[in-house]
Amino acid sequence: MLVIGLTGGIACGKSTAAAALSALGAPIFDADAISRALTSAGGEASGEVLARFGTLDRRSIARAVFSDPAALADLNAIVHPRVRRALERFLLENAAQPAVVLDIPLLYECGMERYAHAVWVTHVPQEEQIRRLRARDGLSREEALARIAAQMPLEEKMRRANECIDTSGPQEVTRAHIAALWQAALKRAGDARC
């Protein structure tokens, strides 16, 4: 099984890329969805999150962690080990697939690239990233920059990646690029099985 790690900067089109891959039939591990389930009311990590932050409201927690590195480290210590266990279950459950995609925003920051044979990074110019983030989340420019700064620099992710996917153009161009990458990945996975 070929394991592809999909990551990118915040508001750089990673979710769009994951949706395109899913539409092509790729099995997707969605780390954000796992994280939301873990930290929602009744979720496995909800008690620890509530004890640490006094709320389960994602926006309130985001404001806290993006302005306080210690709070971010605390949240990561609660959530990341559980996400890693879910990832390992996903890989076992999909072992018969020719290829799978790990949709993980903090792939490099959490050391989860070690699970991937190849890493694809989505990217846009920083001003477009800021514009998208502000429009999506209603943030000030300073808040958007703080969220961008909380991640590994996009240039570093791109330097370490096997493939870089520019999502700043028309979506049909991005989808066509992703489809070509996925077909090549399936061919590579098939060739490796021979």
Side-chain angles (χ1 to χ4, degrees):
M1 172 178 55
L2 179 66
V3 181
I4 298 161
L6 176 65
T7 193
I10 189 169
C12 281
K14 184 187 57 56
S15 296
T16 299
L21 286 161
S22 180
L24 293 167
I28 307 285
F29 175 81
D30 185 342
D32 274 348
I34 298 293
S35 177
R36 280 191 298 277
L38 288 168
T39 59
S40 295
E44 183 185 325
S46 62
E48 288 180 64
V49 171
L50 190 58
R52 170 57 179 88
F53 296 97
T55 182
L56 295 178
D57 179 70
R58 291 181 63 80
R59 288 189 185 271
S60 297
I61 294 169
R63 280 192 300 274
V65 302
F66 288 115
S67 63
D68 180 357
L72 180 58
D74 289 347
L75 180 64
N76 289 345
I78 294 168
V79 175
H80 289 174
R82 291 174 168 97
V83 171
R84 186 172 282 111
R85 286 194 295 274
L87 167 59
E88 291 169 353
R89 283 192 303 274
F90 170 85
L91 291 173
L92 286 173
E93 291 165 2
N94 287 279
Q97 296 290 335
V100 298
V101 176
L102 310 180
D103 176 0
I104 306 176
L106 301 177
L107 183 81
Y108 288 120
E109 293 89 335
C110 299
M112 291 188 188
E113 76 276 12
R114 68 186 173 95
Y115 292 98
H117 300 109
V119 175
W120 298 355
V121 172
T122 60
H123 65 93
V124 295
Q126 187 174 58
E127 283 305 314
E128 175 64 9
Q129 187 180 15
I130 292 166
R131 186 197 66 74
R132 288 180 182 184
L133 191 52
R134 292 185 71 194
R136 184 186 80 188
D137 295 347
L139 303 176
S140 70
R141 182 176 178 82
E142 294 73 27
E143 289 170 323
L145 286 168
R147 292 193 183 190
I148 292 167
Q151 294 185 344
M152 176 185 288
L154 188 53
E155 296 76 20
E156 176 64 13
K157 289 183 180 186
M158 292 170 65
R159 187 188 66 72
R160 294 171 66 176
N162 301 92
E163 296 289 344
C164 295
I165 304 167
D166 182 349
T167 65
S168 62
Q171 284 201 6
E172 58 271 14
V173 172
T174 300
R175 284 193 296 269
H177 184 192
I178 290 166
L181 289 173
W182 180 244
Q183 289 308 313
L186 290 176
K187 181 177 182 336
R188 179 177 161 203
D191 290 347
R193 288 183 170 193
C194 294

